[in-house]
């Protein structure tokens, strides 16, 4: 090791000496504007680093833009909205929303509003999860049957450093490293016939300020929404950096201080809000170029992020990104609010068994063996390849889910074959997942995945083209 370090010093010294000894050496391209290029490079880094909080902020801005809780899961800041039906093609707030559960959603500001109480009702055997994400889309914790039980419980959600008194009837305290928190709660539904029973449980998931603990609570009064959640507002030009700056200053992460400090050169993370007027024209040009480059880099990385399993991409990074900012950005692009792998895994693919793009021009088959790698249930959902939204079809079916057993026909050996195609299969017993006419994307969900798939020791079924 000492020899290697010494050699490195010699190499660096030799290089510096050579440059100094050759003052006419053309080691820099004088046609490049260094001020613009520095802003461009820092802009790309800031955009990739900020893509996680940028996504959460965009969802928050859109879903809290109401004055009362709604039945499309919108609600004012520090309040909870809920869905009353399963999601479908009209739900385009974030890519790859599921078709398996009802949703509750809330965004909290623990700094201005103080601690929140989270109540979980009696759930019996019904699947549920209360997912808590910080401002960077990293998992704070999850509440589910294995740790919260099924008999009802209360939890206290606090900002980091809170030192107040914990009430006696609280089952646990959850501390967030950022004041902004995103709650996503899911309640399993076993088909349309089960919806009303599911709603009775779903209504019991509520939240309220600590100051209101002890008051008699009722289910949240939801206003009927005219539409599903509208599309997110997309920033324009340098507004991208203004939003990133706002989130980083509101939710500073101590361990990322060295990363964020370098962005001060382009006006991000300083004491004052991002202000384009303080930037030179060269810096503005560099930052504007960086926006498009960053989007393309993130999208490109999203095609290969994760671990490959028989043609499926497995995102084991979900919810625990650490310093892997590119994976965080890429995952948020196509699956904002991803669970940690122990709660749900999301194998996904754009191609068939031979590596050809999945398309409605062809028909495919996928057979899950008798021992599926999910202890709760699994599903396979269809999305368009471009935007990753569900696509309307004639039979109003957007996923095949083992939680909806009345819709399924199993093979004699207990395996389950899914027929993936745009036209109705000739075999009436086929579990048909309708495909759009053009290219599509398949997204599997393994709820409470088995240890074998968590260790990547389970071979997932192929998607084979049959015509």
């Amino acid at each position: 090791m000492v020899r290697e370090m010494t050699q490195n010093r010699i190499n660096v010294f030799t290089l510096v000496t050579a440059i100094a000894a050759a003052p006419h050496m053309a080691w820099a391209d004088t046609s490049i504007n260094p001020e613009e290029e520095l802003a461009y490079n820092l802009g790309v880094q800031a955009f990739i680093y900020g893509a996680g909080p940028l996504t959460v902020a965009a969802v928050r801005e859109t879903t809290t833009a109401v004055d009362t809780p709604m039945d499309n899961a919108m609600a004012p800041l520090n309040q909870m909205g809920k869905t009353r039906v399963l999601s479908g093609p009209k739900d385009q707030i974030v890519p790859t929303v599921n078709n398996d559960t009802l949703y509750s959603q809330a965004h909290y500001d623990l700094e201005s509003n103080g601690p929140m109480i989270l109540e979980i009702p009696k759930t019996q055997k019904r699947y549920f999860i209360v997912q808590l994400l910080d401002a960077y889309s990293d998992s704070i914790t999850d509440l589910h049957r294995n740790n919260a039980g099924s008999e009802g419980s209360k939890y206290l959600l606090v900002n980091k450093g809170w030192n107040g008194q914990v009430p006696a009837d609280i089952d646990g305290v959850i501390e967030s490293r950022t004041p902004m928190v995103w709650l996503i709660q899911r309640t399993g539904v076993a088909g349309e016939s089960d919806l009303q029973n599911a709603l009775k449980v779903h209504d019991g998931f509520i939240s309220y300020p600590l100051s209101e603990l002890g008051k008699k609570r009722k289910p949240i009064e939801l206003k009927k929404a005219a539409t599903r959640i509208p599309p997110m507002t997309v920033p324009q030009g340098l507004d991208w950096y203004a939003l990133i700056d706002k989130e980083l200053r509101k939710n500073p992460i101590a361990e990322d201080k060295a990363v964020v400090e370098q962005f001060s050169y382009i006006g991000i993370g300083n004491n004052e809000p991002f202000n384009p007027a303080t930037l030179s024209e060269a810096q503005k040009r560099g930052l504007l170029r960086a926006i498009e480059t960053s989007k393309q880099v993130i999208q490109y990385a999203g095609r290969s992020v994760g671990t490959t399993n028989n043609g499926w991409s497995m995102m084991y990074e979900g919810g625990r990104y650490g310093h892997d900012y590119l994976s965080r950005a890429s995952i948020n692009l196509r699956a904002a609010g991803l669970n940690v792998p122990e709660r749900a895994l999301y194998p996904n693919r754009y191609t068939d068994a031979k590596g050809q793009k999945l398309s409605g021009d062809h028909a495919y088959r996928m057979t899950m063996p008798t021992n599926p790698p999910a202890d709760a249930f699994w599903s396979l959902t269809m999305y368009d390849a471009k935007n990753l939204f569900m696509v309307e079809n004639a039979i109003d079916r957007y996923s095949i889910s083992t939680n909806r057993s009345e819709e399924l026909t199993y093979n004699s050996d207990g395996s389950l074959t899914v027929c993936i195609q745009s036209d109705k299969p000739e075999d009436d017993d086929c579990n048909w997942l309708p495909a759009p006419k053009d290219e599509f994307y398949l997204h599997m969900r393994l709820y409470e995945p088995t240890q074998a798939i968590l260790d990547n020791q389970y071979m997932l079924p192929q998607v084979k083209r049959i015509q």
Side-chain angles (χ1 to χ4, degrees):
M1 178 63 74
V2 173
R3 181 177 180 182
E4 289 178 2
M5 293 174 65
T6 303
Q7 186 63 46
N8 287 339
R9 292 193 186 99
I10 292 173
N11 291 341
V12 173
F13 177 76
T14 303
L15 177 60
V16 173
T17 303
I19 292 174
H24 301 295
M25 177 181 175
W27 62 281
D29 186 348
T30 57
S31 67
I32 292 176
N33 183 324
E35 186 178 23
E36 178 179 335
E37 291 305 309
L38 178 57
Y40 168 77
N41 281 279
L42 288 174
V44 171
Q45 294 179 56
F47 199 103
I48 291 173
Y49 175 83
L54 187 69
T55 302
V56 176
V59 174
R60 183 195 314 129
E61 180 182 358
T62 299
T63 58
T64 59
V66 290
D67 56 10
T68 189
M70 310 290 286
D71 68 355
N72 62 356
M74 296 177 71
L77 190 65
N78 301 312
Q79 296 186 53
M80 182 184 290
K82 292 176 176 286
T83 62
R84 310 290 290 172
V85 296
L86 295 175
S87 299
K90 295 180 180 179
D91 297 283
Q92 300 185 0
I93 178 62
V94 293
T96 64
V97 65
N98 85 49
N99 184 237
D100 305 320
T101 70
L102 297 167
Y103 280 96
S104 301
Q105 180 175 232
H107 292 272
Y108 306 118
D109 184 345
L110 301 176
E111 187 174 56
S112 63
N113 195 61
M116 297 293 297
I117 298 292
L118 309 178
E119 278 199 24
I120 298 175
K122 291 184 178 181
T123 56
Q124 291 147 0
K125 295 183 178 181
R126 186 172 300 277
Y127 172 84
F128 77 91
I129 183 171
V130 179
Q131 181 187 14
L132 295 167
L133 300 167
D134 67 20
Y136 291 76
S137 76
D138 278 63
S139 174
I140 300 169
T141 193
D142 297 314
L143 300 173
H144 47 91
R145 187 178 180 185
N146 292 342
N147 63 8
S150 58
E151 295 302 313
S153 52
K154 291 189 184 78
Y155 290 84
L156 181 64
L157 175 64
V158 303
N159 194 15
K160 187 174 183 179
W162 182 79
N163 57 5
Q165 184 173 359
V166 179
D169 58 345
I170 294 297
D171 294 288
V173 178
I174 301 168
E175 184 181 78
S176 171
R177 65 173 181 170
T178 64
M180 303 307 297
V181 174
W182 182 14
L183 175 145
I184 309 172
Q185 183 271 321
R186 302 169 177 87
T187 302
V189 182
E192 288 298 323
S193 61
D194 179 53
L195 182 59
Q196 293 306 312
N197 287 330
L199 285 168
K200 292 176 184 177
V201 175
H202 190 57
D203 287 342
F205 290 90
I206 59 175
S207 67
Y208 48 89
L210 173 59
S211 58
E212 297 181 11
L213 179 64
K215 294 182 179 180
K216 188 175 181 180
R217 312 303 307 186
K218 295 180 179 180
I220 299 169
E221 292 186 12
L222 300 170
K223 183 178 179 181
K224 181 70 176 176
T227 64
R228 302 296 177 91
I229 297 177
M232 290 183 288
T233 301
V234 179
Q236 300 298 317
L238 297 176
D239 289 346
W240 284 100
Y241 299 104
L243 185 53
I244 291 172
D245 169 68
K246 178 182 177 182
E247 291 303 303
L248 299 195
R249 287 189 298 108
K250 173 71 174 178
N251 303 279
I253 301 296
E255 54 266 36
D256 289 352
K257 183 179 179 181
V259 176
V260 176
E261 279 185 338
Q262 65 181 326
F263 304 148
S264 63
Y265 175 79
I266 54 176
I268 292 177
N270 294 321
N271 292 329
E272 298 297 323
F274 177 83
N275 182 3
T278 64
L279 303 175
S280 69
E281 292 304 312
Q283 288 176 311
K284 292 178 184 177
R285 287 195 303 270
L287 289 179
L288 289 172
R289 286 171 46 212
I291 294 171
E292 292 309 312
T293 296
S294 302
K295 291 178 183 177
Q296 292 182 42
V297 167
I298 292 170
Q299 189 168 27
Y300 173 78
R303 289 273 176 161
S304 58
V305 67
T307 303
T308 301
N309 180 315
N310 209 22
W312 298 88
S313 178
M314 305 276 286
M315 294 181 286
Y316 289 103
E317 300 88 349
R320 296 195 190 103
Y321 305 109
H323 298 299
D324 189 354
Y325 310 130
L326 183 57
S327 286
R328 183 172 73 190
S330 300
I331 287 173
N332 272 281
L333 175 70
R334 58 175 170 167
L338 202 67
N339 278 293
V340 295
E342 291 83 1
R343 302 281 69 79
L345 270 177
Y346 306 89
N348 58 87
R349 64 192 301 153
Y350 291 89
T351 59
D352 63 18
K354 295 185 177 180
Q356 301 298 309
K357 289 183 178 180
L358 296 169
S359 170
D361 290 335
H362 307 291
Y364 307 87
R365 296 292 181 270
M366 185 197 90
T367 299
M368 181 68 80
T370 55
N371 61 332
D375 287 333
F377 65 101
W378 66 270
S379 68
L380 181 69
T381 310
M382 172 72 65
Y383 302 94
D384 74 271
K386 181 179 180 181
N387 299 305
L388 309 186
F389 296 138
M390 296 179 212
V391 182
E392 291 191 22
N393 61 69
I395 63 171
D396 200 29
R397 178 182 291 168
Y398 307 103
S399 67
I400 297 294
S401 171
T402 57
N403 204 30
R404 300 194 293 268
S405 57
E406 76 277 6
E407 297 180 4
L408 305 178
T409 300
Y410 284 83
N411 300 320
S412 58
D413 63 355
S415 62
L416 182 69
T417 298
V418 182
C419 301
I420 306 163
Q421 56 192 78
S422 58
D423 297 326
K424 186 179 185 301
E426 295 180 0
D427 181 2
D428 290 336
D429 290 331
C430 178
N431 299 293
W432 181 28
L433 180 58
K437 293 295 184 182
D438 48 10
E439 293 180 8
F440 60 85
Y441 166 83
L442 291 175
H443 198 87
M444 196 186 300
R445 289 177 170 84
L446 308 175
Y447 294 96
E448 298 298 315
T450 63
Q451 193 60 48
I453 194 66
L454 288 171
D455 294 337
N456 201 23
Q457 297 298 309
Y458 183 102
M459 186 70 72
L460 291 171
Q462 263 297 358
V463 176
K464 299 178 181 179
R465 173 178 159 183
I466 62 169
Q467 66 180 43

